[in-house]
Amino acid sequence: MYILGIETTGPVGSVALYDPQTGQLSMKRTEEPMGHLRKLAEMAQELLTENGISPRELRAVAASVGPGSYTGIRIGVSTARAMAQALSIPAVAVGALDQFRLCCDGTRPVAVIFNARRGQVYGAVFDANGEEILKPGPYMLTEVLDRIREESVRPLFYGDGIDAGRELLTGFDLADKEERYPTAALTVRMAAEKLEAGETVSYQELLPRYMRETEAEQKLRDGTLARLREAKMAKFRSR
């Protein structure tokens, strides 16, 4: 039985099909930034067709649930939910940062940083065996680097936060650009481990993990939306 994995937390989305018994893995990714916003279902169907797999042969559908692009996460999770519901199969939620544990090969630590703008990142640091040195969460990039120095480790860095924080990363080891970003191949392999451990959810329980409020939520909490509405109403009354 196969697992279908969806990764849409970054600018380039991907879909992967994996057979845990044989290790066979196929993946498709979008060529243009944010292309997964309109090609996700199409790529999934192409993967199944090219591999001669019926949707009924899927054992589970996995989605990288965040953090990352709010829009990308919503689309990826919604697509996975729809597939799991339609096929009556379980879903697997995979943390976008957690999946980089698979890059730990027992010889060196791994640090993951996703750009969250203004010097902020979604980050995590794992030791050579994948154990947490810094748990996944929202941080200032300087906080991540300070923790690495405190632990006296020398990790290999992954994630698009490398591109934004390159000046602060001088002297650190960076993963090759071709291997730096999240992919559905990581998602579906991590999903296989979680599935084996019985860590599945229903389609209703598959939810985004933003790790930080969306801009709309922030405005609602601090009253910005209310003030904007009041300003519009005042402008309307003055006509």
Side-chain angles (χ1 to χ4, degrees):
M1 299 291 281
Y2 296 84
I3 305 171
L4 186 74
I6 296 171
E7 164 52 60
T8 55
T9 63
V12 177
S14 53
V15 179
L17 185 65
Y18 183 51
D19 182 350
Q21 293 185 327
T22 65
Q24 178 185 351
L25 189 151
S26 303
M27 186 177 76
K28 283 185 176 290
R29 71 176 77 196
T30 57
E31 298 300 327
E32 70 275 13
M34 303 308 286
H36 53 279
L37 302 187
R38 52 190 175 80
K39 290 188 175 181
L40 198 58
E42 178 183 335
M43 289 193 299
Q45 184 58 58
E46 287 176 355
L47 263 184
L48 294 172
T49 300
E50 290 172 6
N51 286 276
I53 305 301
S54 164
R56 295 296 172 184
E57 294 181 75
L58 293 178
R59 183 180 174 192
V61 176
S64 179
V65 294
S69 161
Y70 292 141
T71 301
I73 294 169
R74 286 195 297 271
I75 290 175
V77 169
S78 296
T79 302
R81 282 168 59 104
M83 290 181 177
Q85 180 182 16
L87 297 171
S88 298
I89 56 177
V92 183
V94 176
L97 296 168
D98 284 317
Q99 62 190 348
F100 279 89
R101 294 175 191 266
L102 295 174
C103 297
C104 301
D105 59 4
T107 63
R108 71 178 307 172
V110 161
V112 192
I113 50 173
F114 293 167
N115 182 22
R117 301 181 182 180
R118 296 188 293 275
Q120 301 176 4
V121 297
Y122 302 113
V125 183
F126 308 109
D127 69 16
N129 297 311
E131 298 298 322
E132 291 179 2
I133 294 175
L134 180 67
K135 68 178 183 179
Y139 302 99
M140 297 299 295
L141 177 54
T142 52
E143 291 181 279
V144 178
L145 300 181
D146 286 345
R147 184 58 181 274
I148 288 170
R149 294 186 182 103
E150 288 172 6
E151 297 293 326
S152 299
V153 294
R154 189 177 182 84
L156 183 63
F157 274 80
Y158 291 83
D160 65 357
I162 293 174
D163 305 321
R166 187 171 292 276
E167 290 184 6
L168 292 176
L169 296 173
T170 301
F172 288 94
D173 297 328
L174 312 179
D176 293 339
K177 197 165 185 177
E178 296 76 19
E179 303 174 350
R180 187 176 298 172
Y181 308 113
T183 65
L186 285 176
T187 302
V188 78
R189 286 171 53 213
M190 178 63 77
E193 293 186 4
K194 293 171 77 70
L195 187 61
E196 184 67 22
E199 298 177 20
T200 64
V201 296
S202 67
Y203 76 88
Q204 299 102 319
E205 297 169 318
L206 185 65
L207 300 170
R209 296 177 192 164
Y210 297 120
M211 283 193 181
R212 200 172 65 176
E213 292 176 320
T214 65
E215 184 177 355
E217 289 170 332
Q218 290 173 346
K219 288 179 178 179
L220 182 62
R221 178 173 51 80
D222 65 20
T224 302
L225 286 178
R227 291 193 296 272
L228 288 172
R229 291 193 190 102
E230 183 59 33
K232 287 182 179 179
M233 287 301 295
K235 186 176 180 179
F236 175 79
R237 295 190 195 102
S238 65
R239 290 179 179 175

